[in-house]
Amino acid sequence: MRAARLIKMVLLLQSRPSMTAAELAAELEVSERTVTRDALALSEAGVPVYADRGRSGGYRLVGGYRTRLTGLARGEAEALFLSGLPSALRDMGLEDAASAARLKVSAALLPSLRDAPASAARRFHLDAPGWYQEPQTPELLAPLAEAVWDDRRVEARYRRGDGTEVERDLEPYGLVLKAGVWYVCALAGSSHRTYRVDRFTGVAVGEERFVRDPEFDLAAFWAERAAEFARSLLRAEVVLRLTEAGAGRLPYVTDRAAAEEALASGTADAEGRVTVRLAVEDEEVAFAQLLALGPEAEVLAPAALRERFAEAARGLAALYR
């Protein structure tokens, strides 16, 4: 633990002209007294750490000293590619590895380029969760992430959507963060499946490693399954007559693929309105979505949904009379 902290201290000083004891203490998450002891230990080990006294003083490396400890470990290199997702790294327990990797990269840069990481961070930020959501870190995400990184089999208990629990022996291939929700893509038996991480009630990471299929493409697998899932939700159909404005707005209020498919096969009348058959999740969802189109969309079928829109229209007319 202390050896890792001393290396980190050297890398911090190598990447910056000077740092105060308070700054080092904050970065290393120790006390200033510990920083003083660590600086003395480095000096005794031959690392030329010099302490400037006074109010504006601090610690620095003398004579352009360069450490050779900047080679990235495998875990650090892998975590570095996820450094644009700080919350995801923290959730998976990889924050320390990514921090060490960034420090090593910064230490290896020319002095004129050492502000590049901070410059990029000031200009770009990725916020993965959707609006109006408070992201929750699944309790068992960290052990699953460990198994994914090490290609280790896991014995898991999983709660299905109906509340029943099942036991699964899984080979976890990858993790996906979608709109603030974590999923694991794993080989279960002879097929790859997708599981919500927050539905795992128990995860035991085994010692046995599995042989990863080199042909498995996580991004392609997720895209295919996500499309299948979206299509599986569309179990009902409504018939609409849309104005030009309504047709233009339809992909923004309902499933885009379903809207585009409906518009492509729609038929236009002499007044420029287009009649389409739109796949929807159910009538309740369709009502909430299509209400946003207002008078730009007329529901023709089913009759129950048309009557519901008529009632809503009468209510609005009475309210705004």
Side-chain angles (χ1 to χ4, degrees):
M1 183 69 177
R2 190 191 184 198
R5 189 175 72 243
L6 292 174
I7 292 173
K8 186 174 182 178
M9 184 174 179
V10 173
L11 292 173
L12 283 167
L13 294 174
Q14 185 173 316
S15 63
R16 307 179 193 181
S18 176
M19 294 185 69
T20 66
E23 291 171 337
L24 283 168
E27 289 280 358
L28 300 172
E29 298 180 347
V30 295
S31 66
E32 293 186 31
R33 185 183 297 273
T34 299
V35 168
T36 301
R37 289 199 297 266
D38 286 352
L40 180 60
L42 287 171
S43 181
E44 291 175 348
V47 178
V49 178
Y50 181 77
D52 290 315
R53 305 296 179 184
R55 176 180 296 181
S56 59
Y59 292 92
R60 60 185 175 86
L61 294 175
V62 179
Y65 177 83
R66 307 283 295 175
T67 177
R68 296 181 180 179
L69 298 174
T70 52
L72 293 177
R74 180 176 181 84
E76 294 168 348
E78 291 172 334
L80 185 61
F81 285 99
L82 293 171
S83 58
L85 292 165
S87 60
L89 284 167
R90 182 178 60 252
D91 292 347
M92 291 188 291
L94 298 172
E95 192 173 25
D96 289 343
S99 175
R102 286 193 296 269
L103 274 174
K104 290 182 178 182
V105 170
S106 297
L109 293 174
L110 294 172
S112 60
L113 298 176
R114 285 179 187 161
D115 66 337
S119 177
R122 285 194 296 267
R123 288 166 171 81
F124 302 100
H125 175 68
L126 176 61
D127 185 9
W131 289 105
Y132 314 118
Q133 295 181 14
E134 185 64 31
Q136 300 291 330
T137 302
E139 182 180 352
L140 298 175
L141 176 61
L144 279 171
E146 176 190 348
V148 168
W149 283 116
D150 291 342
D151 294 340
R152 294 188 183 275
R153 298 178 185 273
V154 300
E155 295 180 0
R157 293 194 310 277
Y158 186 75
R159 186 181 67 255
R160 290 172 167 167
D162 60 6
T164 60
E165 284 196 4
V166 294
E167 294 185 355
R168 291 286 184 264
D169 292 326
L170 303 175
E171 297 180 2
Y173 269 60
L175 288 163
V176 175
L177 178 60
K178 170 70 171 179
V181 179
W182 284 96
Y183 299 85
V184 62
C185 303
L187 184 66
S190 59
S191 61
H192 286 94
R193 299 180 182 275
T194 302
Y195 301 88
R196 278 186 61 137
V197 174
D198 58 5
R199 288 185 179 173
F200 283 98
T201 60
V203 171
V205 181
E207 294 296 325
E208 182 184 1
R209 284 187 166 89
F210 63 88
V211 178
R212 183 178 287 266
D213 180 2
E215 301 297 321
F216 180 79
D217 185 327
L218 178 60
F221 172 80
W222 174 258
E224 180 182 350
R225 289 303 171 91
E228 289 177 358
F229 176 72
R231 287 194 299 269
S232 71
L233 294 177
L234 307 179
R235 304 186 183 94
E237 183 182 83
V238 299
V239 181
L240 305 173
R241 185 155 52 212
L242 303 164
T243 64
E244 183 178 352
R249 289 167 53 191
L250 185 64
Y252 298 97
V253 300
T254 187
D255 181 83
R256 176 175 290 272
E260 291 176 348
E261 183 178 339
L263 290 169
S265 59
T267 57
D269 60 20
E271 298 178 8
R273 297 178 301 177
V274 59
T275 300
V276 301
R277 292 183 174 275
L278 176 70
V280 295
E281 187 171 341
D282 55 38
E283 290 188 15
E284 185 69 30
V285 172
F287 177 76
Q289 292 175 336
L290 299 175
L291 196 61
L293 296 180
E296 309 301 334
E298 178 187 0
V299 175
L300 302 179
L305 184 59
R306 179 179 174 85
E307 178 56 31
R308 187 169 179 183
F309 271 90
E311 290 179 4
R314 288 191 291 268
L316 285 170
L319 180 64
Y320 288 101
R321 181 176 299 144

